[in-house]
């Protein structure tokens, strides 16, 4: 089974990220926001620098900018694997919230670090002002897109309810479509698609408490629980099917 990386990210990974953000209690997320931001920013920078200098020390022929590029590639943690792992570990709730939230938000800093490392490797130039500008555009744009898409989707949901009041299937379908729309629009605008999806999920989770009936909230939670379970299993099944070809390619 061969699936293109971009199609795989769109159809499988992005809905999982939305479901993870949707299931994350917004009140708990606000409580751990400070350590989450410190990890999402500070830990990514530390990883890039440490891995970069280590690789350059081990392989002196490797330019430092290229070594930093490799460090930027491995700096963001995988949100899907993080959530799947912490579900089975007896960790305190605060630690679980911090680890999962950080894995959802570190895309912006990791991607900015990667872009700057690639630019430095290609041109030999580095600008701290450009670093700050790229980070603000990438992360701020993704957050704005996520909020805007969720707000538009909720307006559409209200209009549809006037014609099909109480249809829980329509409500669930619109929420799923919001996850895809947030990512596609953010990528088209060249901002962080992951932050757009995560922001839309967090915002939708908070808004449902004020606008949905208890029955609708329960139905929507169960739908996302099934989607999350199926897609998480699909991720690891597809990775397992590709593993033999990957190993064979490395051996060759």
């Amino acid at each position: 089974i061969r699936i293109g990386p971009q199609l795989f990210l769109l159809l499988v990974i992005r809905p999982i990220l939305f479901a993870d953000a949707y299931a994350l209690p917004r009140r708990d997320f606000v409580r751990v926001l400070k350590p989450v931001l410190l990890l999402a920013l500070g830990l990514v920078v530390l990883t890039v620098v440490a891995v970069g200098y280590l690789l350059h020390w081990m392989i002196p022929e490797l330019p430092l900018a290229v070594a930093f590029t490799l460090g930027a590639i491995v700096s963001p943690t995988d949100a899907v694997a993080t959530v799947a792992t912490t579900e089975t570990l007896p960790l305190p709730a605060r630690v679980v919230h911090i680890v999962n939230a950080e894995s959802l938000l570190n895309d912006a800093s990791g991607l900015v670090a990667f872009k700057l490392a690639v630019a430095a490797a290609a041109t030999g130039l580095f600008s701290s002002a450009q670093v700050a500008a790229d980070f603000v555009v990438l992360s701020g744009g993704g957050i704005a897109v996520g909020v805007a898409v969720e707000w538009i989707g909720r307006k559409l949901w209200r209009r549809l309810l006037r014609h099909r009041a109480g249809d829980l299937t329509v409500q669930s379908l619109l929420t799923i479509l919001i996850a895809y729309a947030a990512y596609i629009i953010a990528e088209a605008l060249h901002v962080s698609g992951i932050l757009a999806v995560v922001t839309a999920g967090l915002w939708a989770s908070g808004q449902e408490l004020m606008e949905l009936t208890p029955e609708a909230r329960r139905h929507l939670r169960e739908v996302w629980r099934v989607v999350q379970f199926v897609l998480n299993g699909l991720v690891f099944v597809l990775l397992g099917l590709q593993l033999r070809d990957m190993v064979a390619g490395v051996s060759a």
Side-chain angles (χ1 to χ4, degrees):
I1 301 176
R2 299 186 179 276
I3 302 178
Q6 294 300 325
L7 185 63
F8 183 76
L9 290 173
L10 173 63
L11 297 181
V12 180
I13 301 300
R14 298 312 177 240
I16 294 178
L17 294 177
F18 184 92
D20 291 337
Y22 190 82
L24 185 67
R26 193 161 69 171
R27 181 181 301 175
D28 294 335
F29 172 75
V30 173
R31 290 175 180 172
V32 299
L33 185 59
K34 182 178 179 179
V36 165
L37 292 179
L38 288 175
L39 289 172
L41 298 177
L43 187 58
V44 168
V45 174
L46 179 62
T47 303
V48 172
V49 174
V51 172
Y53 278 112
L54 178 63
L55 289 175
H56 184 66
W57 174 74
M58 294 174 60
I59 311 174
E61 296 81 7
L62 188 68
L64 192 58
V66 176
F68 284 154
T69 302
L70 296 176
I73 291 175
V74 301
S75 61
T77 54
D78 178 50
V80 176
T82 301
V83 174
T85 302
T86 54
E87 285 180 347
T88 60
L89 295 178
L91 297 173
R94 176 179 171 83
V95 174
V96 173
H97 291 324
I98 291 175
V99 173
N100 291 340
E102 188 274 336
S103 67
L104 293 172
L105 297 179
N106 60 18
D107 166 68
S109 53
L111 188 55
V112 168
F114 176 76
K115 290 174 61 179
L116 293 174
V118 171
T123 64
L125 300 176
F126 179 84
S127 171
S128 57
Q130 188 63 37
V131 171
D134 287 344
F135 180 79
V136 170
V137 171
L138 192 69
S139 57
I143 293 173
V145 169
V147 172
V149 170
E150 200 283 330
W151 181 80
I152 294 173
R154 192 161 298 278
K155 290 291 185 180
L156 179 60
W157 167 74
R158 290 171 181 167
R159 285 182 174 270
L160 290 176
L161 282 185
R162 296 174 185 174
H163 303 284
R164 302 187 63 178
D167 193 332
L168 300 180
T169 303
V170 173
Q171 299 176 25
S172 302
L173 177 60
L174 277 177
T175 308
I176 294 175
L177 292 178
I178 286 173
Y180 290 107
Y183 174 72
I184 293 174
I185 294 175
E187 289 296 313
L189 296 175
H190 303 290
V191 295
S192 177
I194 291 182
L195 280 180
V197 173
V198 171
T199 302
L202 287 171
W203 194 258
S205 176
Q207 293 300 311
E208 74 166 17
L209 296 175
M210 298 182 290
E211 300 189 15
L212 298 183
T213 63
E215 182 183 4
R217 291 200 301 269
R218 183 169 58 252
H219 180 273
L220 198 55
R221 294 275 176 174
E222 291 301 325
V223 168
W224 273 112
R225 185 176 300 175
V226 172
V227 170
Q228 189 177 22
F229 177 81
V230 172
L231 293 182
N232 267 312
L234 184 62
V235 166
F236 294 105
V237 168
L238 291 177
L239 289 177
L241 292 175
Q242 300 294 326
L243 184 60
R244 184 167 59 179
D245 292 338
M246 294 177 184
V247 174
V250 172
S251 301

